[in-house]
Amino acid sequence: MSRNVMNALIKSNSQPLSFCYGDERINFERVLRPKATSKVLIKVHPDCRVVVSAPEDATSETVLYAVKQRGRWIYEQLREFRQQLEHVTLRKYISGESHYYLGKQYLLKVHVEPDQVQGVKLLRGKLEVSVRASDATRVKNLLNDWYKIRAREVFARRLDVLLEQALWVQERPPIRILTMQTQWGSCSPYGRITLNPHLVKAPRDCIDYVILHELCHIAEHNHSERFYRLLSQVMPNWEKTKERLDGLASRILAL
């Protein structure tokens, strides 16, 4: 599994930088801090991304100084998260595994039935997959197709609900479902929203966060102060929700 697990479009307005701690060079992203403050905020995410939020007028020297001051803490956080990632087991798509849907874990049960129709059903707390022959790749493909169908239905419903809050959106934006390597979602300059089908594995509030994030991009295309102000108006707790989604990513995406 790639360690660049998904993140809802934080990179388009970021600046890659790095510093040395001992013998290790640590890369980090500098992003615009949404709140009017002179402080530099440093976060180490469970996928081992280091993100530094700083005011627009802060110099690179100021940012690097702040990061180096926290160098030991950053290094220790990275070491802890790397150890956790080593224990993330890639799924084998066999009976007994757990798979996520809307934030809950469901036991996978594979039925090999040569004469039955192949497909996936969610029954009594289990994801039941019927295949004609024992084939992990086939089970994986059937599950991915099932997730895409559910994603289209769930995302459409949540979009309809969230549009009631997004008063700046004049017309219902089209949704595209697309598996992406480094993003949960994106918004085109023309207002089309693209969402990752794996997002349907996350809790509903995390799905709402990503959709609202992209709806805000219809009004503000960059991660500007106005963008974050708008996002905070419609979802005051978005930072905690985003952090929760980041924390779940390695488990949700252990493919």
Side-chain angles (χ1 to χ4, degrees), residues 3 11 27 57 61 79 102 126 128 142 145 149 171 179 187 193 219 232 236:
R3 290 188 178 180
K11 297 185 178 181
N27 297 313
D57 58 356
E61 290 76 13
R79 183 175 60 183
L102 294 178
K126 294 181 182 179
E128 309 241 0
L142 285 168
D145 290 343
I149 292 170
E171 296 181 0
T179 302
C187 180
I193 292 176
S232 296

Side-chain angles (χ1 to χ4, degrees), residues 91 97-107 127 143 146-147 198 200-203 248 250-254:
R91 293 193 170 94
E97 289 182 337
S98 65
H99 290 254
Y100 283 84
Y101 176 60
L102 294 178
K104 296 181 180 179
Q105 287 181 278
Y106 293 91
L107 196 68
L127 273 170
L143 273 173
W146 183 84
Y147 277 122
H198 292 299
V200 80
K201 301 174 185 179
L248 286 169
S250 61
R251 281 174 282 169
I252 288 176
L253 300 166

Side-chain angles (χ1 to χ4, degrees), residues 30-41:
R30 174 183 174 170
V31 300
L32 180 66
R33 186 157 189 193
K35 297 178 181 177
T37 176
S38 60
K39 292 183 179 180
V40 174
L41 179 66

Side-chain angles (χ1 to χ4, degrees), residues 1-7 11 29 47-49 85 180-184 249-250 253:
M1 182 188 69
S2 170
R3 290 188 178 180
N4 284 328
V5 289
M6 317 301 179
N7 181 38
K11 297 185 178 181
E29 298 173 62
D47 62 352
C48 295
R49 285 180 304 108
L85 286 172
M180 295 176 282
Q181 293 297 313
T182 59
Q183 293 172 276
W184 290 118
S250 61
L253 300 166

Side-chain angles (χ1 to χ4, degrees), residues 177-196:
I177 306 299
L178 179 68
T179 302
M180 295 176 282
Q181 293 297 313
T182 59
Q183 293 172 276
W184 290 118
S186 65
C187 180
S188 76
Y190 306 102
R192 182 179 68 180
I193 292 176
T194 300
L195 297 171
N196 195 317

Side-chain angles (χ1 to χ4, degrees), residues 118 129 131-133 135-143 145:
Q118 298 187 121
V129 182
V131 288
R132 295 194 181 100
D135 182 349
T137 300
R138 183 57 180 157
V139 173
K140 178 179 179 179
N141 290 339
L142 285 168
L143 273 173
D145 290 343

Side-chain angles (χ1 to χ4, degrees), residues 10-199:
I10 193 174
K11 297 185 178 181
S12 62
N13 206 30
S14 66
Q15 177 186 4
L17 296 167
S18 65
F19 73 102
C20 289
Y21 182 82
D23 295 331
E24 181 175 356
R25 177 168 290 277
I26 298 175
N27 297 313
F28 65 92
E29 298 173 62
R30 174 183 174 170
V31 300
L32 180 66
R33 186 157 189 193
K35 297 178 181 177
T37 176
S38 60
K39 292 183 179 180
V40 174
L41 179 66
I42 302 170
K43 284 189 177 181
V44 181
H45 294 270
D47 62 352
C48 295
R49 285 180 304 108
V50 182
V51 179
V52 180
S53 302
E56 190 172 12
D57 58 356
T59 65
S60 294
E61 290 76 13
T62 299
V63 173
L64 280 169
Y65 177 79
V67 170
K68 289 177 180 178
Q69 289 291 101
R70 302 292 304 281
R72 180 185 178 89
W73 175 81
I74 294 170
Y75 177 81
E76 290 176 348
Q77 288 288 106
L78 286 171
R79 183 175 60 183
E80 181 180 338
F81 286 135
R82 284 166 183 162
Q83 289 173 348
Q84 291 177 12
L85 286 172
E86 287 175 0
H87 297 289
V88 174
T89 304
L90 296 179
R91 293 193 170 94
K92 297 180 180 179
Y93 293 91
I94 57 176
S95 292
E97 289 182 337
S98 65
H99 290 254
Y100 283 84
Y101 176 60
L102 294 178
K104 296 181 180 179
Q105 287 181 278
Y106 293 91
L107 196 68
L108 177 64
K109 180 66 177 177
V110 178
H111 301 280
V112 180
E113 301 172 336
D115 299 326
Q116 296 297 317
V117 176
Q118 298 187 121
V120 180
K121 293 180 180 179
L122 184 60
L123 293 172
R124 296 179 292 276
K126 294 181 182 179
L127 273 170
E128 309 241 0
V129 182
S130 297
V131 288
R132 295 194 181 100
S134 183
D135 182 349
T137 300
R138 183 57 180 157
V139 173
K140 178 179 179 179
N141 290 339
L142 285 168
L143 273 173
N144 284 340
D145 290 343
W146 183 84
Y147 277 122
K148 287 178 182 177
I149 292 170
R150 293 294 173 272
R152 192 174 298 279
E153 295 172 353
V154 171
F155 297 163
R157 285 201 306 269
R158 296 314 303 161
L159 177 62
D160 287 339
V161 172
L162 296 170
L163 281 173
E164 297 178 8
Q165 298 174 243
L167 302 179
W168 61 90
V169 180
Q170 300 299 316
E171 296 181 0
R172 190 182 193 277
I175 290 184
R176 179 176 62 159
I177 306 299
L178 179 68
T179 302
M180 295 176 282
Q181 293 297 313
T182 59
Q183 293 172 276
W184 290 118
S186 65
C187 180
S188 76
Y190 306 102
R192 182 179 68 180
I193 292 176
T194 300
L195 297 171
N196 195 317
H198 292 299
L199 180 62

